[in-house]
């Protein structure tokens, strides 16, 4: 999915814009997810329904969002292509875990707990929880089995009576959800505003890491 970068960037703008207007970071997160899922469905419509080239479609989305997001920010907020700084409930705040301050002076354990585990945004903790959850879904559920089969042997899945197109749409919806969360984190937690090109290639980095993991799992398969 070459369009990871564009989905993250679009979600970052939508989240920051709606958080600024509504005064709620959670509403911003919701709209960031919805906008990323909308972009994912555009990608699916081009590549799954019409069998278009996924690289061309993905790059088109990346280029479109890279220009559209700052243009909309300029038209909406008149601040040179960025959104106003988010304050108060319009941005996520770091969470201090229980007893983090009390245990801060305890050797080794206190430092790990109070400085490494504590003090992150709620989206970071959700990301930590998503790792084992994703592994369980992909490798321990029927949906995960079908999802992997669609990527590795779509002909076999189609022969089994499972809709390949439906599975691919579902996969892209999930991608949109995760990209929406990632983009919202950039603008409503880490930076507290939308800035032009703030995703800074992180979508491409994620794509490269995913391809690397896939090659490790299937070293004999040509990519």
């Amino acid at each position: 999915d070459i369009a990871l970068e564009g989905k993250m960037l679009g979600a970052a703008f939508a989240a920051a814009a709606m958080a600024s207007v509504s005064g709620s970071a959670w509403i911003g997160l919701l709209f960031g997810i919805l906008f990323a899922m909308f972009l994912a469905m555009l990608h699916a419509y081009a590549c799954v329904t019409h069998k278009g080239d996924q690289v061309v479609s993905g790059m088109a989305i990346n280029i479109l969002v890279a220009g559209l997001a700052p243009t909309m920010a300029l038209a909406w907020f008149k601040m040179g292509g960025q959104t106003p700084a988010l304050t108060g409930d319009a941005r996520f705040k770091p969470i201090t875990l229980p007893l983090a301050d009390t245990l801060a002076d305890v050797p080794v354990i206190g430092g790990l707990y109070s400085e490494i585990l504590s003090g992150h945004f709620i989206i970071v903790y959700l990301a930590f929880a998503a790792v084992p959850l994703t592994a369980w879904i992909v490798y321990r559920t029927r949906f995960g089995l079908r999802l992997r089969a669609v990527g590795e042997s779509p002909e076999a899945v189609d022969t089994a009576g499972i809709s390949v197109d439906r599975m691919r749409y579902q996969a892209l919806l999930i991608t949109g959800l995760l990209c929406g969360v990632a983009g919202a984190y950039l603008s409503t937690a880490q930076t507290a505003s939308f800035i032009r090109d703030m995703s800074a290639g992180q979508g491409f980095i994620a794509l490269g890491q995913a391809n690397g993991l896939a090659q490790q799992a299937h070293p004999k398969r040509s990519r």
Side-chain angles (χ1 to χ4, degrees):
D1 190 349
I2 306 297
L4 294 179
E5 183 78 8
K7 293 170 190 173
M8 287 179 59
L9 188 61
F13 165 73
M18 294 309 301
S20 177
V21 171
S22 66
S24 171
W26 290 103
I27 293 179
L29 174 61
L30 173 63
F31 274 86
I33 291 173
L34 291 176
F35 188 68
M37 293 177 75
F38 168 73
L39 293 175
M41 289 299 93
L42 285 181
H43 190 55
Y45 182 72
C47 299
V48 178
T49 301
H50 292 284
K51 312 301 180 186
D53 190 306
Q54 58 188 348
V55 175
V56 174
S57 174
M59 289 305 300
I61 290 175
N62 291 339
I63 295 170
L64 173 66
V65 174
L68 183 62
T71 300
M72 292 179 64
L74 177 63
W76 199 345
F77 298 104
K78 313 295 184 184
M79 296 182 63
Q82 64 184 48
T83 61
L86 302 177
T87 58
D89 292 336
R91 67 167 299 185
F92 291 104
K93 299 178 177 63
I95 297 175
T96 301
L97 297 179
L99 302 178
D101 295 333
T102 304
L103 298 175
D105 296 330
V106 177
V108 183
I109 297 177
L112 290 174
Y113 183 74
S114 61
E115 296 181 15
I116 296 180
L117 296 180
S118 179
H120 298 290
F121 301 99
I122 188 171
I123 297 178
V124 174
Y125 294 113
L126 291 176
F128 287 150
V131 174
L133 177 62
T134 301
W136 179 78
I137 291 175
V138 172
Y139 294 105
R140 293 290 186 270
T141 66
R142 178 179 298 179
F143 173 79
L145 175 62
R146 292 177 175 179
L147 183 65
R148 287 183 287 124
V150 163
E152 297 174 1
S153 182
E155 297 83 4
V157 175
D158 186 61
T159 303
I162 300 171
S163 173
V164 173
D165 287 356
R166 178 185 294 180
M167 288 298 302
R168 288 177 172 173
Y169 262 90
Q170 291 174 353
L172 282 168
L173 275 175
I174 295 172
T175 302
L177 168 65
L178 297 176
C179 286
V181 174
Y185 167 78
L186 293 177
S187 61
T188 60
Q190 185 181 62
T191 307
S193 67
F194 171 80
I195 304 172
R196 181 191 299 267
D197 297 327
M198 68 183 308
S199 53
Q202 294 182 62
F204 292 113
I205 293 173
L207 178 65
Q209 291 176 336
N211 286 336
L213 291 173
Q215 290 176 355
Q216 291 177 12
H218 304 282
K220 296 182 180 180
R221 180 174 300 152
S222 174
R223 290 292 176 181

